[in-house]
Amino acid sequence: MNVTPTRVWITRAEPGAARTAARLRDMGFEPIVAPLLTIENLTPPVPDLAPFAALAFTSINGVAAFAALTPRRDRPVFAVGDATAQAAHDAGFADVHSASGDLRDLARLIAGAIANAAVLVPQAETPAGDFTAALTTAGARNVSVHSLTVYRAIETSVAAPALFDAVLIHSPRAGKALTKLHHAPLAQAVLACISPAAAAPLAALGLTPVVAKSPDETSLLTILNTALGKRDPAV
């Protein structure tokens, strides 16, 4: 008897969507790549890096966009999570520290390592959170944040797939974009969200998103394993 593979809609932008699709195939799912966002790298002038004690990256996209702007790789890097840290390593940065979490974890990591210094944060045009506020909450000692907008996420005009059993929501922007589509089919699907902020727009519609235990893709894919009965994602 033929069994129809479980269909999982990937809403994140490329090139991340392709990496997620490969992981889903390894888990036995049928990935449907239909990004709700596309990434546009920007070309701002890069300031002199000498005054900055470190760089802070809040996403893989930030690493890729910044690395394309300058050959400099001599500043220490603090990354929000392990995937972002790996992207920094792959881009040629040698001194990389991972917070293995979210923006608050990144702020705590920096607060414990840096004082009386400036940090450059290459990030999105519309950041997912207030990094300066997170540093203050973390008890940072006179750490000033200088933002450098290196990319923007733009909503696409993609239509929802005709059939899907689950949806992966990798960011608050994707969650917000998803709410603009006809949401009746969403009520029948597993809505796997990487963070509470990504789930919030869907919860506001009365839907029931499931939030990953930690803000990383392995935890996100584990939601599918639990809800749909496939094997655990490879780290």
Side-chain angles (χ1 to χ4, degrees), residues 46-55 72 74-76 117-118 120:
V46 177
D48 179 13
L49 298 184
F52 297 103
L55 304 173
R72 293 280 299 271
D74 56 319
R75 296 290 85 187
L120 182 66

Side-chain angles (χ1 to χ4, degrees), residues 57 59-68 77 79 84-85 87-89 91 93 122 150-151:
F57 289 111
S59 71
I60 294 174
N61 293 323
V63 173
F66 180 79
V77 166
T84 302
H89 277 298
F93 292 97
V150 294
Y151 75 95

Side-chain angles (χ1 to χ4, degrees), residues 151-176:
Y151 75 95
R152 61 168 62 103
I154 303 169
E155 292 186 16
T156 68
S157 56
V158 68
L163 296 170
F164 54 91
D165 303 293
V167 188
L168 296 180
I169 300 99
H170 279 75
S171 68
R173 284 293 305 276
K176 183 177 180 181

Side-chain angles (χ1 to χ4, degrees), residues 14-33:
E14 293 287 13
R19 294 192 296 267
T20 301
R23 296 187 73 180
L24 287 173
R25 291 188 192 98
D26 288 344
M27 294 172 66
F29 293 110
E30 178 186 334
I32 304 171
V33 178

Side-chain angles (χ1 to χ4, degrees), residues 9 11 167-172 174-175 178 191-195 198-199 202 220:
W9 177 12
T11 65
V167 188
L168 296 180
I169 300 99
H170 279 75
S171 68
L178 191 59
L191 306 178
C193 298
I194 202 164
S195 67
L202 300 166
L220 180 66

Side-chain angles (χ1 to χ4, degrees), residues 43-218:
T43 56
V46 177
D48 179 13
L49 298 184
F52 297 103
L55 304 173
F57 289 111
T58 59
S59 71
I60 294 174
N61 293 323
V63 173
F66 180 79
L69 295 174
T70 174
R72 293 280 299 271
R73 301 290 188 268
D74 56 319
R75 296 290 85 187
V77 166
F78 291 84
V80 67
D82 295 342
T84 302
Q86 185 60 53
H89 277 298
D90 294 344
F93 292 97
D95 186 3
V96 180
H97 310 269
S98 175
S100 300
D102 58 16
L103 196 66
R104 293 169 297 180
D105 296 306
L106 178 59
R108 285 192 287 267
L109 179 64
I110 291 174
I114 295 176
N116 304 311
V119 174
L120 182 66
V121 186
Q123 61 182 1
E125 185 176 58
T126 305
D130 188 335
F131 193 33
T132 299
L135 280 170
T136 300
T137 301
R141 296 162 291 165
N142 194 29
V143 176
S144 59
V145 172
H146 296 260
S147 298
L148 180 67
T149 300
V150 294
Y151 75 95
R152 61 168 62 103
I154 303 169
E155 292 186 16
T156 68
S157 56
V158 68
L163 296 170
F164 54 91
D165 303 293
V167 188
L168 296 180
I169 300 99
H170 279 75
S171 68
R173 284 293 305 276
K176 183 177 180 181
L178 191 59
T179 65
K180 299 178 182 180
L181 302 177
H182 180 56
H183 64 267
L186 297 176
Q188 308 303 318
V190 175
L191 306 178
C193 298
I194 202 164
S195 67
L202 300 166
L205 289 179
L207 298 170
T208 54
V210 184
V211 178
K213 290 184 178 180
S214 59
D216 59 77
E217 186 171 80
T218 296

